[in-house]
Amino acid sequence: MRMVKQPVVTELPPKKSPGAILSDEVKEGVDALERSSSGLFVSGVSAGLELGLSLLLIAIVRTKSDGSLPPTLDALLLASMYSFGFIVVVLGRSELFTEQTTLAILPLRAGRTTFKKVARLWGLVYAGNLLGAAICPALFVLIAPALHIAERETFVRIASEVLAFPAWVFVLSGVLAGWLMGLVSWGVAAARDSIGQIVTIWMITSVIGLGHLHHSVLGFAEVVGGVYAGGDFAWGELVGFQCCTTLGNAVGGGCFVALLKHGHAGAQTPA
């Protein structure tokens, strides 16, 4: 008698409670805080390099489309390109400053670490992120025109559009971007499989790209790319942008996500 194979049904892990998500987030934050200084810095450089890939994809799409697509479709496509680097960074577990503004605060709020350790992590990861984000655009501005995939003028235009706002917009826009990045970390911890994680990262970071919100690391890569491509930008303008955006990201991730999530989920944290 011929045996009929029964389809294999793979069950998803059970849905996590807010307390279980918080417990996982605190553990991940503690693990990062206990890493060596060299490990944190190198991981930060890796994240900056990987996140910079979004800039290359954005420049390619903007050069190739050149107004040929309907505005709505063009905006959605660019938002998806914006998400690419974040997907690579988060799934690859590289250390990203705007993710750590949430993750590092949760152990501090839970009494599992000290502010000195949090400041050490932030400083090392932020410095590594900016170094990586400064290296990538140099390569892109050099190789993209040679391959006829993006023009130097495109990088200048991207940087000009990023910088075309007053300081208060950078801060408040940075708050929203930091809030969303904190939600990325929370959503990835809540997701029950890799596909769910990818969709979560894409969905949330696409909002940052679609809304032209300011991210202190990818925004730095966009601005530096414009400088490398020959854009005429004042140093005061560049420094002001970076300071305001970083402040906004830190407030958004640390206050809007870490403190609020801990506030409502802390009572449900498993013992």
Side-chain angles (χ1 to χ4, degrees), residues 2-271:
R2 185 178 178 182
M3 300 296 293
V4 179
K5 289 186 177 181
Q6 296 296 322
V8 178
V9 179
T10 303
E11 294 186 1
L12 291 174
K15 183 179 179 180
K16 293 182 180 179
S17 68
I21 297 171
L22 176 60
S23 181
D24 289 346
E25 289 282 84
V26 170
K27 181 179 182 303
E28 185 175 347
V30 169
D31 289 345
L33 287 161
E34 296 301 322
R35 292 187 68 178
S36 67
S37 295
S38 59
L40 285 172
F41 181 74
V42 171
S43 182
V45 173
S46 176
L49 290 168
E50 293 158 2
L51 197 59
L53 294 172
S54 289
L55 172 61
L56 178 62
L57 293 176
I58 291 169
I60 291 172
V61 170
R62 293 194 63 166
T63 300
K64 297 299 183 182
S65 65
D66 195 24
S68 61
L69 297 176
T72 301
L73 178 59
D74 187 55
L76 292 173
L77 181 58
L78 286 170
S80 293
M81 298 303 100
Y82 192 93
S83 297
F84 178 81
F86 290 102
I87 294 172
V88 173
V89 168
V90 177
L91 290 184
R93 295 294 188 267
S94 297
E95 303 291 356
L96 183 62
F97 172 73
T98 48
E99 194 178 13
Q100 286 297 341
T101 55
T102 295
L103 280 176
I105 289 294
L106 290 172
L108 182 65
R109 182 70 177 79
R112 298 277 299 275
T113 190
T114 64
F115 185 75
K116 182 178 179 181
K117 289 185 176 181
V118 172
R120 164 185 166 270
L121 180 145
W122 281 353
L124 289 168
V125 170
Y126 186 70
N129 286 171
L130 295 191
L131 177 59
I135 293 172
C136 258
L139 177 62
F140 299 156
V141 169
L142 179 65
I143 196 64
L147 293 173
H148 307 295
I149 56 176
E151 301 297 333
R152 295 175 69 91
E153 292 77 11
T154 303
F155 292 99
V156 175
R157 189 163 69 249
I158 291 171
S160 299
E161 292 172 359
V162 169
L163 294 169
F165 300 94
W168 69 269
V169 172
F170 292 147
V171 174
L172 295 184
S173 173
V175 169
L176 293 174
W179 182 10
L180 288 165
M181 284 305 303
L183 292 176
V184 166
S185 176
W186 191 269
V188 167
R192 292 183 282 176
D193 57 23
S194 296
I195 298 300
Q197 291 178 341
I198 291 172
V199 171
T200 297
I201 301 166
W202 169 80
M203 179 178 66
I204 297 175
T205 56
S206 288
V207 174
I208 301 176
L210 189 62
H212 298 288
L213 303 178
H214 292 89
H215 188 275
S216 57
V217 181
L218 184 48
F220 179 77
E222 292 173 320
V223 170
V224 169
V227 173
Y228 290 157
D232 185 17
F233 304 107
W235 281 107
E237 185 180 17
L238 304 180
V239 172
F241 160 80
Q242 195 61 34
C243 291
C244 291
T245 303
T246 301
L247 174 63
N249 288 170
V251 171
C255 295
F256 280 88
V257 180
L259 298 183
L260 291 176
K261 290 295 187 184
H262 189 281
H264 84 79
Q268 303 181 44
T269 305

